[in-house]
Amino acid sequence: MNGAANSTFDMSIVDSYRKFMERNSDPRTEGWLLMSSPGPLLTILATYLYFCTSVGPRYMRDKKPYDLKNVIIVYNISQILMSVFIVSEGLAAGWWNDYSFTCQPVDYSENPKAKRMAAAVWWYFMAKIIELLDTIFFVLRKKNRQISFLHLYHHFMMPICAWIGVKFLPGGHGTLLGLINSFIHIIMYTYYLISGLGPQYQKFLWWKRHVTTLQLIQFCIIFYHNFSVMFYDCNYPKGINTLLCINAGLFLYMFGNFYYKNYMKSTKVEPKNTPTANGKVKEC
């Protein structure tokens, strides 16, 4: 009896899930890579977390760090180019002339610009998947101290947010997040590229703390951009605006705490004649 009831309950959940997907997902993106269901993405993220927090460190315990200098240089250049591409596509598809900063519904039509924006959102999602390599490189280089909760949370949550965007809302108000974030990543990965070229280039990295400042500014903009739209009628899901506000608020708190500990608190406790450590810390 209980088995039959449980089976009926399970079937009800599956049926509700299918109806939700059919009713709310964008058919234009259904056949795109990793977009058929959340299963492939969740498998990737679970494998990522398991490797970076358990398997990877254990595998590297008795090994020397891998020399990945050339690989990381190529990786950073590719990330810069991809971010430039996403920014240019986001501007061309809407944010340069057509989109409204106060309220922008999603265009689900076959309009070429609407489809171009949907494709840009998918490319942004793929960029977030590729960025998981940031942590994998840390593990293989035995830089485990840089794998903080902030780092893991950021790299875990961003692909999920981007997947939701491609699946349900590939355009409209929320895409400003991807545009700003990709612009910040152009600057950020340029910093990482210069940093990885060698000690002789450290003198050109005086603007390290400003990378984090820009990240804080982006979260302020994203929070305001999504919070303000909830107080008037706009044909964009307020539930998504709320989630984006909460996520931006969490990132603002965590990055703000990082900024305080690394650039304000450390300055207060260090003697004036003691040089500041110039080690590379990846915030994102």
Side-chain angles (χ1 to χ4, degrees), residues 2-223:
N2 289 336
N6 289 335
S7 177
T8 302
F9 179 71
D10 291 342
M11 289 300 295
S12 176
I13 292 176
V14 171
D15 188 52
S16 297
Y17 167 79
R18 286 176 178 170
K19 288 181 179 178
F20 176 84
M21 286 295 185
E22 289 174 2
R23 185 170 60 250
N24 296 288
S25 62
D26 188 342
R28 298 175 304 173
T29 66
E30 176 68 26
W32 295 2
L33 182 64
L34 300 179
M35 296 312 304
S36 59
S37 75
L41 172 62
L42 294 177
T43 301
I44 290 171
L45 292 177
T47 304
Y48 160 78
L49 286 179
Y50 186 52
F51 176 83
C52 294
T53 61
S54 180
V55 174
R58 283 191 281 113
Y59 170 75
M60 292 300 298
R61 184 180 300 151
D62 300 318
K63 295 182 178 293
K64 292 182 179 180
Y66 284 96
D67 182 9
L68 301 176
K69 180 178 178 179
N70 292 332
V71 173
I72 292 175
I73 287 174
V74 173
Y75 169 74
N76 286 332
I77 292 173
S78 68
Q79 287 292 71
I80 294 168
L81 294 176
M82 177 168 276
S83 296
V84 169
F85 170 74
I86 293 170
V87 169
S88 64
E89 286 298 288
L91 289 173
W95 284 109
W96 184 251
N97 284 318
D98 302 328
Y99 272 27
S100 167
F101 285 91
T102 55
C103 172
Q104 183 59 50
V106 182
D107 184 353
Y108 292 102
S109 73
E110 294 296 321
N111 180 287
K113 276 198 170 184
K115 293 174 69 176
R116 188 174 183 179
M117 180 62 82
V121 177
W122 180 82
W123 279 111
Y124 178 76
F125 164 65
M126 293 305 296
K128 299 303 109 180
I129 296 294
I130 295 170
E131 284 168 21
L132 298 178
L133 288 172
D134 285 357
T135 324
I136 293 171
F137 290 151
F138 281 156
V139 173
L140 296 179
R141 296 167 64 216
K142 302 186 79 167
K143 303 284 186 180
N144 295 332
R145 288 180 59 188
Q146 296 186 1
I147 306 175
S148 63
F149 173 79
L150 168 58
H151 180 94
L152 288 174
Y153 177 81
H154 179 78
H155 281 72
F156 182 83
M157 283 304 300
M158 291 306 291
I160 293 175
C161 293
W163 187 89
I164 292 172
V166 181
K167 188 69 175 178
F168 304 107
L169 301 158
H173 202 77
T175 57
L176 184 66
L177 181 157
L179 183 72
I180 295 175
N181 186 245
S182 296
F183 175 75
I184 298 296
H185 277 210
I186 295 171
I187 301 170
M188 188 181 76
Y189 280 102
T190 298
Y191 172 88
Y192 296 151
L193 176 62
I194 298 172
S195 176
L197 293 177
Q200 66 272 30
Y201 292 93
Q202 295 299 311
K203 60 185 177 181
F204 300 113
L205 299 176
W206 53 267
W207 45 284
K208 175 182 177 180
R209 67 184 297 172
H210 299 303
V211 176
T212 308
T213 301
L214 288 172
Q215 289 170 321
L216 290 171
I217 292 171
Q218 81 167 321
F219 296 128
C220 289
I221 294 172
I222 292 165
F223 181 87

Side-chain angles (χ1 to χ4, degrees), residues 100-103 173 225 228-235 238:
S100 167
F101 285 91
T102 55
C103 172
H173 202 77
H225 185 245
S228 61
V229 80
M230 291 193 290
F231 294 96
Y232 53 85
D233 187 31
C234 178
N235 188 21
K238 286 183 168 46

